[in-house]
Amino acid sequence: MEPGRGRGPAASIRYRSYRRRWFLLFATCTLSCSNAMCWLTFAPVADQTARYFHISVNQVNWLSMIYLVVGVPFGFGTTWILDMLGLKTSLILSSWLNLAGCALQLLSVTFFIPHDSWKFPLLMVGQTFGALAQPLVLFSPTKLAAIWFPEQQRATANMISSMANPLGILFANILSPLLVKEPSSMPLLLGVYAVPAVIACLLTTVGIRNKAPPTPPSAGAANSTSEPFITGMKMLLKNKPYLILMVCFGGGVGIFTSFSALLQQIVCVRGYSNVSRMRDQPYGLAVVCSLFGLLGFSIYPVCMELGVECSYPVGEATSAGLIFISGQLQGALLILLLPGLARPVTSDGSVCQVGVGAALDWTIPTLVLAAICSLEACCFAFLFHTEYRRVSAEDNEDAAALLAAATQ
């Protein structure tokens, strides 16, 4: 057990942090990474998935989009679970749902399921279980950082746990094309992806014993869920800075989600781009995609912290949850809209074939994405102004404690 290191002497006496917080952080990161891998398992190999399961590319897109569709209604329940039942219940439930989803995915490609007509429905059920697990872990970083970490470590803990999800997306984009050169390799892929799910389930089930530390690490943690769930929701919907953050940053989440789900269809696995309609530019494409991730995710943990600061004393899971629900909803709409804007490539020089049918020119969809991204970034930069309510509350409480100690 480590003494808390708050802003004043009173904080070091009253609040404490525990070494086990790092284990909780590791378990959360493992679970988030595994869930992201399961979400994006098939998008990087959409053509091979379509051939193996004898389905269309649009059906392959639904394997990713089911996470967004399920995440919107279930997200509201998730915020209640996190703020009312606690982090322990949320993470353990999420790990078992994630493991059940991976198990059903693996079952769909075994010899026990001989009929092709059964494989895809079973696979979709597995994806649905994973989709139920996603909000439970995605909404957790701010909650974990707030109730287990002292105030000077909150942003770092939030950053680490938040970045575990895009790390899983990175692994999926690397491993899926490497492991699936032919449709027959699909069982190997799903077997490999089940391993992190098993590890995450063991870590959370065996290792997480308390929903909160015996002694809070900060004044903010002591009042982490000071507002009832329904009251907190009403407060958020009346909070102008939070609503701007929810729409603009949620839009960024939706753009990244849709881009990740459709990336293989936009930029083919072999490195040819039917966006730019120019060949032999793998390094340029790699740089552009890297900058997209680097610049986009640098603001990710910052916005999560901003959501808590501008909405305090509303529970952290509620404030983070509505932002992600906004992102999931916008991402689902983009995944439905963008393929309809793509046009078939008539040029004989195109070598980008995704599934069945001609390759598509994604110039218009990517321009639409760029326009939406620019608009929401400008709105956020010019309209978002807020005070740091949680920091102010902690400063006031420390000052009151020091005053009380001085008068004794």
Side-chain angles (χ1 to χ4, degrees):
M1 184 167 66
E2 304 170 3
R5 292 169 293 189
R7 286 190 175 81
S12 63
I13 297 173
R14 298 171 57 202
Y15 306 119
R16 293 189 178 274
S17 57
Y18 297 81
R19 285 189 293 269
R20 76 184 78 164
R21 68 188 185 275
W22 299 108
F23 174 83
L24 267 70
L25 181 62
F26 176 72
T28 303
C29 289
T30 304
L31 176 58
S32 182
C33 184
S34 170
N35 187 256
M37 292 172 65
C38 293
W39 166 53
L40 217 63
T41 300
F42 307 102
V45 287
D47 52 349
Q48 307 288 13
T49 303
R51 293 172 188 167
Y52 182 86
F53 290 100
H54 303 292
I55 57 178
S56 67
V57 175
N58 285 333
Q59 288 175 295
V60 176
N61 288 341
W62 270 100
L63 292 172
S64 299
M65 198 168 71
I66 190 65
Y67 273 70
L68 312 183
V69 174
V70 170
V72 173
F74 189 63
F76 291 100
T78 297
T79 58
W80 182 87
I81 291 173
L82 266 169
D83 279 337
M84 297 294 107
L85 301 184
L87 192 65
K88 175 185 175 181
T89 300
S90 175
L91 291 178
I92 292 177
L93 177 59
S94 176
S95 67
W96 279 99
L97 286 171
N98 187 61
L99 180 59
C102 289
L104 288 173
Q105 289 178 0
L106 190 58
L107 181 63
S108 71
V109 297
T110 60
F111 66 91
F112 298 110
I113 309 297
H115 298 291
D116 290 339
S117 60
W118 297 352
K119 290 181 180 293
F120 180 70
L122 187 58
L123 182 67
M124 184 61 76
V125 172
Q127 286 291 94
T128 303
F129 273 94
L132 292 171
Q134 187 185 52
L136 291 165
V137 67
L138 281 184
F139 298 1
S140 297
T142 52
K143 188 75 172 180
L144 173 66
I147 66 176
W148 279 96
F149 285 81
E151 53 197 86
Q152 75 276 9
Q153 295 178 353
R154 282 194 304 236
T156 300
N158 188 23
M159 180 271 296
I160 293 173
S161 54
S162 296
M163 290 299 98
N165 189 263
L167 183 63
I169 294 174
L170 174 63
F171 286 156
N173 277 292
I174 293 175
L175 289 177
S176 290
L178 285 178
L179 294 175
V180 182
K181 300 296 185 181
E182 297 293 335
S184 58
S185 301
M186 194 63 63
L188 172 64
L189 175 69
L190 297 181
V192 169
Y193 280 23
V195 174
V198 173
I199 295 173
C201 191
L202 288 174
L203 287 174
T204 55
T205 303
V206 177
I208 301 180
R209 301 177 181 178
N210 307 101
K211 68 177 183 179
T215 303
S218 67
N223 300 293
S224 177
T225 55
S226 57
E227 293 296 336
F229 175 71
I230 299 299
T231 303
M233 292 285 287
K234 292 179 179 178
M235 291 174 64
L236 290 180
L237 294 177
K238 297 178 181 178
N239 188 326
K240 181 181 177 181
Y242 178 82
L243 292 176
I244 294 172
L245 181 68
M246 181 183 73
V247 174
C248 295
F249 179 62
V253 172
I255 289 171
F256 177 82
T257 299
S258 59
F259 184 77
S260 300
L262 299 170
L263 180 60
Q264 194 266 351
Q265 298 167 55
I266 298 174
V267 181
C268 292
V269 178
R270 300 296 181 181
Y272 172 78
S273 169
N274 67 340
V275 179
S276 63
R277 302 295 302 278
M278 299 180 185
R279 297 188 183 190
D280 303 321
Q281 297 189 46
Y283 297 109
L285 290 171
V287 169
V288 170
C289 291
S290 298
L291 287 174
F292 179 76
L294 175 65
L295 299 178
F297 279 111
S298 63
I299 199 175
Y300 185 94
V302 176
C303 284
M304 288 292 97
E305 285 293 299
L306 278 177
V308 176
E309 292 292 344
C310 74
S311 63
Y312 186 85
V314 177
E316 297 82 8
T318 304
S319 61
L322 286 186
I323 292 175
F324 275 107
I325 290 172
S326 171
Q328 301 286 63
L329 182 59
Q330 293 185 60
L333 292 175
L334 288 173
I335 292 178
L336 286 174
L337 171 67
L338 295 179
L341 298 177
R343 294 292 178 263
V345 175
T346 57
S347 172
D348 294 335
S350 174
V351 297
C352 185
Q353 299 290 334
V354 181
V356 180
L360 296 177
D361 178 4
W362 287 80
T363 302
I364 294 177
T366 50
L367 288 175
V368 169
L369 274 181
I372 295 174
C373 187
S374 301
L375 176 62
E376 292 184 332
C378 290
C379 290
F380 179 76
F382 289 111
L383 300 178
F384 181 79
H385 305 282
T386 186
E387 61 175 314
Y388 298 153
R389 297 183 178 183
R390 181 172 62 177
V391 172
S392 298
E394 289 172 336
D395 284 339
N396 292 336
E397 186 163 335
D398 284 350
L402 287 171
L403 180 62
T407 57
Q408 287 180 354

